[in-house]
Amino acid sequence: MLEKEKLQRINALAAKKKAGSINKEELEELKGLREEYLENFRSSFRKQVENTKVVDPEGNDVTPEKLKRIQQEKNTRE
């Protein structure tokens, strides 16, 4: 998870950018922080999806085969 301070810095730099008072160094810092944030988000989301089991209203496992294969490769599913 991205540290609270980094998220606050992203927001502060984004506000400066919107106000038109950001310099080149801060713009580069913002770009790097956003990339780090997106990388972290994607990783967390991927892990969440890879640990998901889909069940229909009758209780049958209807998890897509592609997801089942990924789960088996990562030993998160029998």
Side-chain angles (χ1 to χ4, degrees):
M1 177 147 220
L2 207 59
E3 300 151 12
K4 186 176 181 178
E5 296 81 22
K6 286 186 179 182
L7 288 174
Q8 290 173 338
R9 183 67 177 154
I10 289 171
N11 290 331
L13 290 170
K16 280 186 85 170
K17 182 179 179 185
K18 187 174 183 178
S21 62
I22 195 166
N23 64 40
K24 187 177 179 179
E25 292 80 21
E26 290 171 328
L27 196 56
E28 288 298 317
E29 179 184 2
L30 178 60
K31 183 180 175 183
L33 287 170
R34 282 183 172 167
E35 190 59 42
E36 184 179 345
Y37 173 82
L38 286 172
E39 184 179 310
N40 187 285
F41 175 84
R42 289 175 183 132
S43 174
S44 295
F45 188 76
R46 187 175 299 112
K47 287 177 185 175
Q48 183 178 355
V49 169
E50 288 174 354
N51 288 310
T52 299
K53 180 178 181 178
V54 183
V55 180
D56 69 10
E58 289 82 39
N60 300 313
D61 183 359
V62 293
T63 306
E65 289 302 317
K66 182 177 179 179
L67 182 55
K68 286 181 181 179
R69 282 193 307 275
I70 292 169
Q71 291 170 341
Q72 288 172 344
E73 289 170 5
K74 296 187 181 236
N75 295 319
T76 58
R77 185 182 184 101
E78 299 92 39

